[in-house]
Amino acid sequence: MNSPVPRSPFRLFDFQVNGFGGIDFQAPSVSRAEMEHAVKVMRHHGLAGIFLTLITDEIDAHCRRLENFEKLCATSPDIARMVVGYHIEGPWLSPEPGYRGAHPPGPMHAPSLAEFDRLQSAAGGRIRLITVAPEWPGSAECIAAMTQAGVHLALGHTNASNAQIDDAIRAGAKFVTHLGNGTPQEMHRHDNVVQRLLARDELTACLIPDGVHLPPFVLKNYFRAKPAGKVLFTTDAMSGAGGGPGRYRIGRFEIDVGADGIARQPGGSGFAGSTLTPDDGVRRCADYLRISLAESARYWSDAAAAAFGVTLPSWSN
Ligand SMILES: [Zn+2]
């Protein structure tokens, strides 16, 4: 019998988790034992529920992964409790360098309702959040239809114009995925997509507060620029979260996590997900934003769950 693992006192919800505890959710076929291990490590770091997040790949490959996770949920109560839904981040994103971030551009293309139906069917209807770049033709129609189908729509990995952002908001988009990331290092000083999205009070900005994806002073500026209730936080965790330095994977890509805890994509340039754990995220937000730990925890729990209409499961163990 293992001795009980001391758990974080938090009860948190994270809507963008690509992996955890050494387990890569983008792997072709995650086993029950691997996923139960990831759940255990996530529990240790205060998570009560996640949107399991898949990044850009072919639709067929996404469907196979979703079917596999649905099978795991059917056989393991702990996996079913933790995976309260799915977030599809790609392939309906911008393939332009910088905007695509660490995602492979090859599978990227315009959103398609036929593909959405296939994904949702593979996911047992549990896709709850989709990130799109609304500059693709037909985006507004797809955003409207997917919103009608009960899915939350976020804009991200995008270089959308103001007019395209207007259309996406009218169609139902309500969130911005990791505002300030998924952009080139250098952009026009004023007319850039970060400023265009930041200015839209209709959109809730989702931010990665690891101190690396956004320097703390930038996090503070974005936080202050948004109306009350229009900011959420996420780890965007990859498999190295809850582990130590070393070599990890996101799908077919090897990712190095350095002694500094930063996950770097091949070649060492941009970031490839974070190793932030949510309990540390709560502490960092409190520190960087000068808010109380209790207020910070509310952003990471009740506020995030309410924004996506999620009821967090209760965990007795
Ligand atoms: Zn991303």
Side-chain angles (χ1 to χ4, degrees):
M1 195 71 184
N2 289 339
S3 56
V5 182
R7 290 229 160 82
S8 154
F10 300 122
R11 191 164 174 273
L12 310 174
F13 170 65
D14 193 337
F15 47 88
Q16 187 159 354
V17 181
N18 310 277
F20 218 95
I23 308 303
D24 174 25
F25 302 160
Q26 191 83 3
S29 183
V30 179
S31 73
R32 175 176 172 170
E34 288 171 333
M35 198 60 200
E36 284 183 333
H37 170 75
V39 169
K40 196 169 159 188
V41 183
M42 287 191 277
R43 291 284 301 132
H44 178 68
H45 287 285
L47 277 172
I50 63 163
F51 284 167
L52 187 150
T53 303
L54 297 178
I55 68 161
T56 300
D57 202 347
E58 306 293 344
I59 298 296
D60 285 349
H62 272 351
C63 287
R64 285 193 294 274
R65 291 189 186 99
L66 292 165
E67 282 162 4
N68 181 51
F69 284 119
E70 283 302 284
K71 264 187 221 151
L72 297 182
C73 288
T75 52
S76 166
D78 279 358
I79 298 173
R81 256 187 296 182
M82 182 58 78
V83 181
V84 299
Y86 300 99
H87 175 179
I88 303 298
E89 191 200 14
W92 303 324
L93 307 176
S94 169
E96 285 183 58
Y99 299 101
R100 68 182 181 234
H103 291 228
M108 290 180 177
H109 57 272
S112 143
L113 282 180
E115 289 179 348
F116 166 70
D117 288 343
R118 287 183 53 215
L119 290 166
Q120 196 59 299
S121 160
R126 302 202 308 129
I127 293 171
R128 306 291 301 278
L129 174 61
I130 295 179
T131 299
V132 297
E135 55 266 46
W136 283 108
S139 289
E141 294 77 5
C142 282
I143 289 170
M146 294 188 282
T147 302
Q148 277 288 314
V151 175
H152 298 280
L153 267 293
L155 309 182
H157 291 276
T158 174
N159 189 21
S161 66
N162 277 316
Q164 289 160 339
I165 294 169
D166 283 343
D167 288 346
I169 290 172
R170 261 196 300 273
K174 291 200 168 59
F175 299 91
V176 178
T177 291
H178 53 50
L179 179 75
N181 295 109
T183 60
Q185 288 288 345
E186 294 186 16
M187 298 185 291
H188 189 283
R189 62 182 163 181
H190 295 141
D191 189 1
N192 64 62
V193 74
V194 177
Q195 296 291 343
R196 295 195 288 274
L197 291 168
L198 183 60
R200 302 308 299 258
D201 291 352
E202 304 93 326
L203 297 171
T204 294
C206 304
L207 308 173
I208 307 173
D210 61 352
V212 174
H213 280 74
L214 300 172
F217 58 87
V218 174
L219 183 85
K220 192 167 144 190
N221 288 341
Y222 290 173
F223 181 74
R224 288 180 171 179
K226 295 303 296 184
K230 292 288 190 178
V231 177
L232 293 174
F233 301 100
T234 177
T235 60
D236 194 10
M238 49 77 76
S239 54
R247 178 150 289 188
Y248 295 88
R249 298 191 74 86
I250 296 183
R252 63 193 115 129
F253 300 110
E254 291 194 318
I255 307 291
D256 286 319
V257 174
D260 52 8
I262 300 174
R264 291 184 171 85
Q265 67 188 89
S269 51
F271 307 135
S274 90
T275 60
L276 181 66
T277 58
D279 50 351
D280 192 29
V282 171
R283 293 182 201 105
R284 282 175 187 258
C285 280
D287 181 23
Y288 297 155
L289 302 173
R290 299 279 186 270
I291 59 178
S292 71
L293 208 56
E295 186 182 355
S296 181
R298 272 197 298 280
Y299 278 104
W300 283 86
S301 53
D302 297 346
F308 294 104
V310 165
T311 304
L312 283 178
S314 58
W315 293 81
S316 51
N317 57 340

